[in-house]
Amino acid sequence: MRIEVEDLHKSFSDYPALRGVNLCVEDGELLALLGPSGSGKTTLLRVIAGLDYPERGRILFNGRDVAGVPVQKRGVGFVFQHYALFRHMRVWKNVAFGLEARPLFQRPSRAERHARAMELLDLVQLGGLGNRFPGQLSGGQRQRVALARALAIDPAALFLDEPFGALDAKVRRELRRWLRDLHDRTGHTTLFVTHDQEEALELADRVVVMRDGQIEQIGTPEEIFLRPATGFVYGFLGETNALDVQVSGGRVFHDGLEAPLLEGAARPDGPARLFVRPAEVLLEPVRETGAPASGPVARVTQVRRRLESLHLDLVLEATGASLEATIGGADPAGQPTPGDRMTVRIGECRLYDPETGSPPRVEKK
Amino acid sequence: MMAHRVSRPPPRGWRPPTSEGALTRRVLIGMTLFFLAGLLLLPLFVVFSEAFSRGFDVFRASVTEPEALAAIRLTLLVAAIAVPVNVVFGLAAAWAAAKFEFRGKSLFLTLIDLPFSVSPVIAGLMYVLLYGAPGLLWPTLQAHDIQIIWAVPGIVLATMFVTVPFVARELIPLMQEQGTADEEAALSLGASGWKTFWSVTVPNVRWALVYGVLLCNARAMGEFGAVAVVSGRIREETMTMPLIIEALYNEFNGVAAFGVASLLALLALVTLALRTLLEWRYGADLAGRRATR
Amino acid sequence: MAHLFSAGKRFRVLPGFGLTLGLSLSYLGFLVLVPLAAVFLKASGLGLSGIWDLATAPRTLAALKVSFGTSLCAAFVNTVAGTTTAWVLVRYPFPGRRFLDAMVDLPFALPTAVAGLALATLYAPSGFPGSLFASGSTLGSLFPGGELKIAYAWPGIVVALVFIGLPFVVRTVQPVLEDLDREQEEAAATLGAGRLRVFTRVILPVLLPAMLTGFALAFARALGEYGSVIFIAGNRPFQTEIAPLLIVTHLEQPDYPAATALAVVMLVMAFAMMLAINLLQAWTRKRLGHP
């Protein structure tokens, strides 16, 4: 099913959760809604499913406006973050619930319902657990029961809200691959919400990055990762340093530095914001020869060990701006220590407009 | 940013998934209001309207009669004994049950709850069969000229029995929840056990304690069945307020009966108001039970 | 006894275990256990057949029948009305909700004698709403005999018992409703279930144990209730005489064996109810055990 969303607005009391969202999901597509908490991604999913209603805008299922269609009739399978299984029903009864809820004349017999439930449990690799109660299953198993239950109504589309949010890292990675397989086999149009960048990039055909109730970028994982449209997207996809800079004739200056940070930037003159990953902050120890350094100099303030690298906090001597850098840390000799002076070179980096390039908001989950 | 936004109504046909239709909702609210008004508010209203039906002076006269005054005094005296005794018991029982693990604890807790499930009439009967004329201890008590049944001590005993669980029930879940870390910290800092109890444990449970005392007091002043059995109904001697209400009612002295009843109803209202206030302000300190509201 | 309540061998940091447990047990023993034992001791003097004869005397049986019938009726009304009340209080915002919520506890706080006095006045043929059903009224003419007698008759007892039992059901069901997982209802809706089906298949099964517990609590309380009933019941032997009242009547005669026998029967029933409630709650915890 093809889903179109036009200019969707929704607010809770005075807090705007969606501010003009436009989106088109192609039939059979696996789409990720990615963003920090509070970005409106779950609200968008709920509004499209019919669990909430939009204040403005249209939602089209295969070209048909579904504004007045209640959730019961939209025919979308919804998997909740905490599964929302019916604890007092056996697993197979949970799966068969959607069949049992059909109008009397379209309702399959009990035997048919049972058979269909068992079939779906096999599909999610839980054959044999049909007579258990949800309380007797592990988190990953419950997640798959919830999925089987949603699939039982032959949904026109499948919606998953943080499907792996409550699982531990290992189960999460397994289920991720498994969900991709399942999608490829069943071909449902699938939307899922996540705040995990890796999950979105690995699983989805296309990724929608959201922020403050608006869409920042829509694209394939490659596009999103390699060509982030805004500084926010760039920042959301990994650790980032952000510096206020001035571009002048292709040369990029950081305030207070005489030498350019960068040359040959393809940008019009004016203020900009430079984003660079810590791994692309290239360092070289300053040799105490008296000769002027070949670039801006930073002082190491802290050195922290990561698994296969060292993480350095630095302060640019000329301006006091702070920088983070990661360097290979396998070699115990020649490791920097706090107080060391380093020449900084900027490697692979990006320049954005100062306004769209403001650093990502830090939010607590 | 829009300064003021009025939430738009949902589109026609759309229904919130976890709510009933407006009609169902209104019918249910209406039925509940009707039911609660008839069952709870109407009786409360009639108590006060009847009490003041002949004017304030008649009301005042009816509650300042010697009999009524004696009943008020006795009721206050009984509560003044039963409530503190049950506070001491409640604190002791809660300390033992909440801070320690021991065999037979569930039996102990059942025992504390037992008075809730015994009919008050049977509670009274128990004391008659123990201390009264047919009782085992009757000869001994007679020999020492001690009167328990058909006297104030019996009324106090019966009241204590029916109010046993109130304070303990409020304290035990809360103290269990709080654990023993605070007390252990105080002890490790050199405080004595007694000092720890008074300066750590009691302050931690003070609102639950107040709550329990309120309920205990309301029941102590209002108990009817158990007291009726052991009282003997001697005028101006063993008549508590609830008993005098019944006596006046049977004498067809409705205004006087409602006069005394209005005092007890006022006590109930004050109790309800105070406990609602407590739940409002200190809900989280009241054993978590109703803390979510 | 000493063995039963002995603490484990573990080392204890906190003092006062012996003191507080000893104090509590002595108090409970003095106030509860010894008097209770006195009843059973007295009853044992009658012998089982003696108790049986006394408990099956026509007047006793009639009183037990009245007590059981009215208590069952009241507990049933309470379960339906109490669950509805809890539902409305939890789910629907309306003006005065907080006030009503607080008022639900009135039967706990209002002395039973006051409640009985007020209800008897209201539901007597001269009171309102009692007059609505009195002889000659429109509503009354709907009933056989031309009136529905509430006070001084069976329905009056039920009214009093509904009053005192209401908070038990509301306060048992209310927390369960508050903790109810709204996502389960949403999930059922996405699966196509209408509101009625969601209620009967998703909400009610979760609510049912609490409703049963509330029913049992209200029923147990109603069986033993005395104060509020005697005002409104009329107290005619074989018709509106409840079992607790018969105990009092026996005591006043005084007929101690008859009072004791009836008391023992009622105590056994009360303990059975208590056991049933405990088993019910244990079963519920097990069945709906949180993961």
Side-chain angles (χ1 to χ4, degrees):
Chain A
M1 184 177 71
R2 184 184 153 92
I3 302 170
E4 285 158 285
V5 166
E6 291 170 10
D7 192 34
L8 226 49
H9 283 79
K10 172 79 187 171
S11 62
F12 295 113
S13 51
D14 270 344
Y15 165 76
L18 295 178
R19 302 187 297 171
V21 171
N22 289 286
L23 180 64
C24 181
V25 190
E26 296 301 334
D27 187 41
E29 196 174 19
L30 180 53
L31 190 91
L33 299 174
L34 174 68
S37 53
S39 59
K41 54 194 192 307
T42 295
T43 306
L44 179 59
L45 197 70
R46 289 174 57 90
V47 167
I48 300 176
L51 290 169
D52 254 316
Y53 66 92
E55 275 145 20
R56 213 162 82 204
R58 297 206 303 162
I59 302 163
L60 306 173
F61 283 9
N62 280 339
R64 196 168 71 94
D65 192 330
V66 292
V69 182
V71 60
Q72 286 90 346
K73 301 228 167 83
R74 288 204 189 178
V76 296
F78 202 105
V79 176
F80 292 84
Q81 186 178 2
H82 300 289
Y83 326 129
L85 296 179
F86 309 128
R87 280 202 300 263
H88 57 281
M89 286 183 208
R90 293 184 190 281
V91 164
W92 82 264
K93 278 277 205 180
N94 263 281
V95 176
F97 186 87
L99 301 174
E100 200 194 309
R102 283 189 187 165
L104 196 58
F105 298 108
Q106 298 161 28
R107 196 180 301 163
S109 71
R110 188 186 150 94
E112 285 165 343
R113 298 200 299 260
H114 184 258
R116 176 78 180 127
M118 289 308 182
E119 207 178 287
L120 282 163
L121 284 172
D122 279 338
L123 179 72
V124 298
Q125 297 163 356
L126 289 175
L129 297 185
N131 276 324
R132 300 257 184 105
F133 282 101
Q136 298 166 310
L137 302 183
S138 73
Q141 288 172 328
R142 271 182 231 160
Q143 176 64 61
R144 283 182 278 158
V145 174
L147 197 59
R149 185 177 66 176
L151 289 172
I153 59 167
D154 287 323
L158 197 54
F159 291 10
L160 302 98
D161 184 11
E162 298 268 2
F164 313 121
L167 302 170
D168 62 53
K170 187 168 165 289
V171 181
R172 214 168 165 143
R173 271 193 294 277
E174 279 170 22
L175 271 180
R176 215 186 272 169
R177 229 159 284 147
W178 174 83
L179 181 68
R180 179 74 232 187
D181 282 356
L182 190 79
H183 174 262
D184 292 345
R185 266 190 289 159
T186 58
H188 285 107
T189 307
T190 306
L191 264 72
F192 75 98
V193 158
T194 181
H195 62 271
D196 182 335
Q197 305 85 341
E198 203 182 296
E199 194 168 286
L201 296 183
E202 187 184 328
L203 199 50
D205 295 326
R206 283 196 303 156
V207 177
V208 177
V209 183
M210 293 191 66
R211 174 200 190 189
D212 292 343
Q214 285 173 321
I215 292 178
E216 289 272 306
Q217 188 176 7
I218 306 178
T220 64
E222 288 296 300
E223 285 165 0
I224 297 277
F225 190 74
L226 296 177
R227 290 188 294 282
T230 65
F232 171 80
V233 177
Y234 187 86
F236 194 63
L237 294 176
E239 292 178 321
T240 314
N241 291 296
L243 290 172
D244 287 316
V245 294
Q246 292 286 337
V247 182
S248 162
R251 308 200 326 162
V252 179
F253 293 93
H254 179 49
D255 313 333
L257 281 180
E258 280 176 27
L261 271 176
L262 212 65
E263 296 196 27
R267 253 193 95 80
D269 290 358
R273 215 160 152 76
L274 180 143
F275 286 78
V276 58
R277 305 243 181 258
E280 294 296 330
V281 176
L282 308 171
L283 304 172
E284 207 166 306
V286 175
R287 298 211 177 71
E288 303 295 336
T289 55
S294 57
V297 175
R299 185 178 297 278
V300 178
T301 57
Q302 212 170 32
V303 181
R304 273 169 292 169
R305 163 55 72 186
R306 296 233 174 128
L307 273 180
E308 281 164 9
S309 61
L310 287 175
H311 187 93
L312 307 185
D313 288 349
L314 302 136
V315 174
L316 279 174
E317 284 190 339
T319 65
S322 49
L323 273 180
E324 293 175 26
T326 48
I327 57 171
D331 175 19
Q335 281 186 0
T337 52
D340 285 1
R341 297 177 74 228
M342 299 281 193
T343 314
V344 175
R345 210 154 49 76
I346 301 293
E348 169 83 35
C349 69
R350 289 188 172 269
L351 289 163
Y352 293 101
D353 290 338
E355 57 270 25
T356 63
S358 58
R361 285 200 307 176
V362 180
E363 285 184 72
K364 274 188 219 151
K365 176 81 182 169
Chain B
M1 195 107 210
M2 276 154 276
H4 184 70
R5 168 190 281 271
V6 179
S7 223
R8 286 181 187 222
R12 188 200 291 272
W14 188 88
R15 283 197 304 269
T18 63
S19 182
E20 292 72 42
L23 183 69
T24 318
R25 218 159 46 216
R26 274 188 210 132
V27 167
L28 285 177
I29 292 176
M31 272 166 52
T32 304
L33 285 178
F34 183 76
F35 175 73
L36 293 185
L39 196 69
L40 301 178
L41 301 185
L42 211 53
L44 208 53
F45 170 77
V46 83
V47 168
F48 291 106
S49 72
E50 289 287 318
F52 293 100
S53 59
R54 303 264 171 81
F56 185 75
D57 289 335
V58 178
F59 163 77
R60 199 177 54 190
S62 65
V63 297
T64 51
E65 289 224 348
E67 272 190 5
L69 281 179
I72 294 170
R73 265 196 298 273
L74 179 59
T75 296
L76 291 175
L77 172 74
V78 169
I81 300 170
V83 174
V85 170
N86 275 323
V87 166
V88 172
F89 162 76
L91 281 169
W95 180 266
K99 306 285 180 189
F100 301 94
E101 285 305 321
F102 55 92
R103 265 193 301 271
K105 186 155 140 183
S106 60
L107 188 64
F108 180 57
L109 294 175
T110 310
L111 211 54
I112 294 175
D113 270 346
L114 195 70
F116 272 157
S117 46
V118 172
S119 168
V121 168
I122 295 175
L125 172 77
M126 290 176 0
Y127 291 105
V128 173
L129 292 184
L130 188 63
Y131 301 112
L136 294 166
L137 301 175
W138 179 249
T140 324
L141 293 170
Q142 282 293 83
H144 293 86
D145 201 22
I146 300 172
Q147 186 77 24
I148 291 182
I149 299 305
W150 297 306
V152 174
I155 296 176
V156 173
L157 277 177
T159 306
M160 273 158 61
F161 176 88
V162 295
T163 53
V164 158
F166 285 96
V167 178
R169 287 309 289 168
E170 289 303 323
L171 293 183
I172 290 172
L174 179 64
M175 279 166 72
Q176 252 162 358
E177 214 171 86
Q178 289 178 343
T180 56
D182 287 9
E183 283 80 9
E184 283 165 4
L187 289 173
S188 74
L189 293 171
S192 69
W194 199 236
K195 167 96 180 145
T196 302
F197 177 75
W198 281 114
S199 57
V200 176
T201 311
V202 172
N204 272 348
V205 299
R206 63 185 182 279
W207 297 118
L209 189 62
V210 173
Y211 196 90
V213 166
L214 274 175
L215 300 185
C216 184
N217 180 61
R219 182 71 196 265
M221 291 196 174
E223 178 51 30
F224 182 80
V227 171
V229 171
V230 297
S231 132
R233 294 193 165 85
I234 308 164
R235 297 249 153 174
E236 294 190 40
E237 268 185 49
T238 62
M239 294 287 265
T240 61
M241 288 167 80
L243 293 182
I244 206 110
I245 292 174
E246 192 210 10
L248 291 167
Y249 176 74
N250 287 339
E251 291 160 10
F252 300 102
N253 191 348
V255 176
F258 275 107
V260 180
S262 70
L263 295 181
L264 285 175
L266 194 64
L267 170 77
L269 284 181
V270 170
T271 304
L272 279 186
L274 283 177
R275 72 179 274 190
T276 308
L277 193 73
L278 272 184
E279 271 165 15
W280 241 13
R281 296 280 308 271
Y282 307 104
D285 299 338
L286 294 174
R289 192 156 68 101
R290 292 161 55 111
T292 48
R293 272 189 286 149
Chain C
M1 203 74 164
H3 172 72
L4 186 61
F5 288 104
S6 70
K9 289 206 177 68
R10 262 183 326 125
F11 173 73
R12 291 178 187 289
V13 181
L14 298 186
F17 175 67
L19 177 73
T20 53
L21 188 67
L23 197 70
S24 315
L25 281 177
S26 320
Y27 182 70
L28 287 172
F30 161 73
L31 206 62
V32 180
L33 285 180
V34 172
L36 206 56
V39 176
F40 284 97
L41 197 69
K42 187 85 188 166
S44 69
L46 301 170
L48 266 184
S49 64
I51 294 178
W52 179 256
D53 289 344
L54 288 166
T56 53
R59 188 173 172 184
T60 314
L61 278 183
L64 283 172
K65 211 172 97 186
V66 172
S67 272
F68 258 91
T70 51
S71 298
L72 270 177
C73 246
F76 186 76
V77 172
N78 273 331
T79 307
V80 176
T83 305
T84 312
T85 302
W87 180 272
V88 168
L89 288 178
V90 171
R91 289 288 175 118
Y92 304 148
F94 61 92
R97 178 166 76 155
R98 282 197 93 98
F99 170 74
L100 272 193
D101 194 2
M103 286 307 287
V104 165
D105 280 332
L106 182 72
F108 281 160
L110 193 70
T112 52
V114 180
L117 176 69
L119 290 172
T121 308
L122 288 171
Y123 288 94
S126 55
F128 176 86
S131 60
L132 292 181
F133 299 92
S135 143
S137 67
T138 327
L139 276 173
S141 61
L142 297 175
F143 293 90
E147 62 167 334
L148 174 67
K149 223 174 152 195
I150 300 179
Y152 320 123
W154 237 67
I157 306 179
V158 175
V159 168
L161 295 180
V162 167
F163 176 85
I164 56 142
L166 180 74
F168 288 96
V169 178
V170 178
R171 296 303 184 220
T172 322
V173 173
Q174 204 171 12
V176 181
L177 259 178
E178 274 164 0
D179 289 348
L180 212 62
D181 183 6
R182 287 285 184 110
E183 276 196 354
Q184 289 197 11
E185 290 170 51
E186 291 186 344
T190 63
L191 295 168
R195 197 59 195 152
L196 190 64
R197 175 174 294 275
V198 173
F199 183 76
T200 54
R201 299 281 286 124
V202 177
I203 298 173
L204 204 57
V206 180
L207 235 45
L208 205 58
M211 288 166 67
L212 275 176
T213 306
F215 176 89
L217 287 170
F219 179 67
R221 173 71 204 266
L223 270 186
E225 177 57 19
Y226 174 69
S228 58
V229 176
I230 57 156
F231 284 87
I232 202 172
N235 305 329
R236 272 165 301 138
F238 292 102
Q239 287 174 36
T240 56
E241 184 178 56
I242 55 166
L245 175 66
L246 188 55
I247 293 180
V248 175
T249 311
H250 285 318
L251 268 176
E252 279 167 359
Q253 283 170 350
D255 181 354
Y256 294 115
T260 311
L262 186 49
V264 165
V265 170
M266 293 194 61
L267 275 176
V268 169
M269 288 191 308
F271 294 156
M273 290 297 303
M274 218 166 127
L275 188 69
I277 293 168
N278 278 330
L279 289 177
L280 185 69
Q281 279 169 341
W283 175 75
T284 313
R285 267 198 301 276
K286 206 176 136 198
R287 199 179 73 125
L288 292 178
H290 284 263

